[in-house]
Amino acid sequence: ANEISGMVTDGQSPLSNATITIKGSEKGTATDSKGKYSMKANPRDVLFYSYIGMKPVEIVVEDVTRILNISLWPKIEELDEVVVTKSKRKTQKDLKLEYATNINIVKSNFGYLNKETAGYTMRVIDGKDLNSAAVYLLLSLQGKAPGLSVGSIREPNDALYLGRSNKPAIFEIDGHIFTTAPTWLSIDVIDRIALIPSLSFTNKYGAIGQGGVVIINTKNAGNGLKENGSNLAYDQAKLRGNVYTNDAISQKKLHKGDPIYLKELHTSSNVKVATAVYEKHKKTLVILMSL
């Protein structure tokens, strides 16, 4: 058996407690505090050097092997594929663009709010779902949200309560704040309503917002992104004006300015003919590409 000794390092510093074993057996040793080791092994034995976080190394012992200084390198885990996805957080511009098609978005004094990413309790009601036969707004909201209750129906004490709060909610209508219910507001002009009882949002309104806030967007407020020069919602799908008027460019016109070899390729009836065209013009193409 050969007496083999040496040092195990990370390329610069010694590695203590690195293990050296004879592959296929339980025989082995470990490096000391200075990275040094010594052990016996027979020719053709395979020494297996390993250390936590390092890529292992295997060395075959030869007849003349006496000293083996080994460097171990960090083990790098390679991923087969990395997929980067767009963040779900959307900008105010994104929300403004989606307003017309996403019922979960409302416009407030603090910008556009999205129920899906709000981070607090928020319920949005489409104006189409309100009870248009109700005498006034508060009654049209009854049954539309859990914990919602209507107070006195006598002016000026009309009030809406959200959840367990004993304080009435305030109303924000197209950016204007009202501390009493807007019984004068016609149900037909309401685009959407957001009910927000959470103090994490309503504290932005100060003490008057302790009972929650009811945000109302009307159809006349012009919320969302509009097409230039119109009151139409921005056409994200490009559906308006997308009509074919027989103005497509023909293949003949498309290839009118092509060089001769391309025209011959386009008119080739099969691969064999196309190959013959290529061979015919190959020499000329090589000269042109080298210029």
Side-chain angles (χ1 to χ4, degrees):
N2 297 356
E3 183 72 28
I4 301 173
S5 60
M7 179 182 289
V8 179
T9 69
D10 61 1
Q12 294 182 335
S13 305
L15 295 174
S16 61
N17 291 320
T19 58
I20 305 97
T21 59
I22 297 175
K23 195 171 183 179
S25 74
E26 297 180 358
K27 297 179 181 179
T29 187
T31 57
D32 60 19
S33 60
K34 296 181 180 180
K36 296 182 178 181
Y37 73 97
S38 178
M39 64 180 298
K40 290 184 178 181
N42 295 315
R44 292 181 295 280
D45 282 344
V46 178
L47 299 185
F48 186 81
Y49 296 79
S50 62
Y51 189 82
I52 296 175
M54 299 290 190
K55 189 175 181 180
V57 171
E58 296 182 1
I59 301 292
V60 178
V61 177
E62 299 181 356
D63 294 335
V64 295
T65 303
R66 293 292 183 274
I67 298 176
L68 287 175
N69 294 321
I70 303 299
S71 294
L72 300 180
W73 305 100
K75 184 188 297 182
I76 301 175
E77 299 292 344
E78 295 184 358
L79 300 177
D80 291 335
E81 183 178 0
V82 176
V83 178
V84 179
T85 58
K86 185 179 179 181
S87 171
K88 290 185 177 179
R89 182 176 292 276
K90 296 182 178 180
T91 65
Q92 284 293 299
K93 183 178 180 180
D94 293 332
L95 297 178
K96 186 176 182 180
L97 181 64
E98 293 182 16
Y99 179 89
T101 56
N102 189 346
I103 186 60
N104 292 311
I105 298 174
V106 294
K107 174 70 180 302
S108 77
N109 270 336
F110 304 98
Y112 286 90
L113 310 177
N114 188 354
K115 171 188 171 183
E116 297 174 334
T117 57
Y120 44 79
T121 302
M122 175 176 169
R123 183 176 182 84
V124 181
I125 303 170
D126 193 329
K128 298 175 184 177
D129 296 330
L130 296 174
N131 180 9
S132 58
V135 177
Y136 69 121
L137 175 63
L138 298 193
L139 294 180
S140 72
L141 290 172
Q142 284 189 324
K144 297 298 180 182
L148 183 150
S149 61
V150 177
S152 171
I153 60 173
R154 291 176 298 177
E155 298 262 1
N157 297 317
D158 295 326
L160 189 70
Y161 297 89
L162 304 178
R164 298 178 180 178
S165 176
N166 59 0
K167 294 185 177 182
I170 61 172
F171 295 80
E172 180 191 318
I173 305 174
D174 294 337
H176 301 284
I177 306 298
F178 299 86
T179 55
T180 58
T183 55
W184 43 266
L185 185 64
S186 172
I187 297 173
D188 293 334
V189 302
I190 296 176
D191 185 17
R192 64 192 63 167
I193 297 177
L195 308 175
I196 307 178
S198 177
L199 286 174
S200 62
F201 174 78
T202 60
N203 60 11
K204 296 179 180 181
Y205 294 86
I208 61 173
Q210 293 181 4
V213 60
V214 178
I215 299 175
I216 300 177
N217 291 166
T218 68
K219 298 174 182 177
N220 301 324
N223 294 312
L225 189 63
K226 305 297 181 182
E227 292 280 2
N228 291 333
S230 77
N231 195 38
L232 297 173
Y234 191 81
D235 185 13
Q236 296 187 63
K238 302 298 180 185
L239 297 178
R240 287 194 289 272
N242 189 14
V243 179
Y244 175 57
T245 57
N246 295 314
D247 55 352
I249 300 175
S250 67
Q251 286 288 325
K252 185 177 181 180
K253 288 184 178 180
L254 183 64
H255 298 295
K256 184 177 180 180
D258 286 350
I260 295 174
Y261 73 91
L262 280 181
K263 290 181 179 179
E264 291 183 7
L265 279 175
H266 285 302
T267 56
S268 299
S269 57
N270 53 55
V271 175
K272 185 177 180 180
V273 174
T275 303
V277 171
Y278 169 75
E279 293 294 340
K280 173 184 173 183
H281 294 281
K282 180 168 66 173
K283 185 176 181 180
T284 304
L285 289 174
V286 171
I287 295 174
L288 289 174
M289 291 176 67
S290 64
L291 291 178

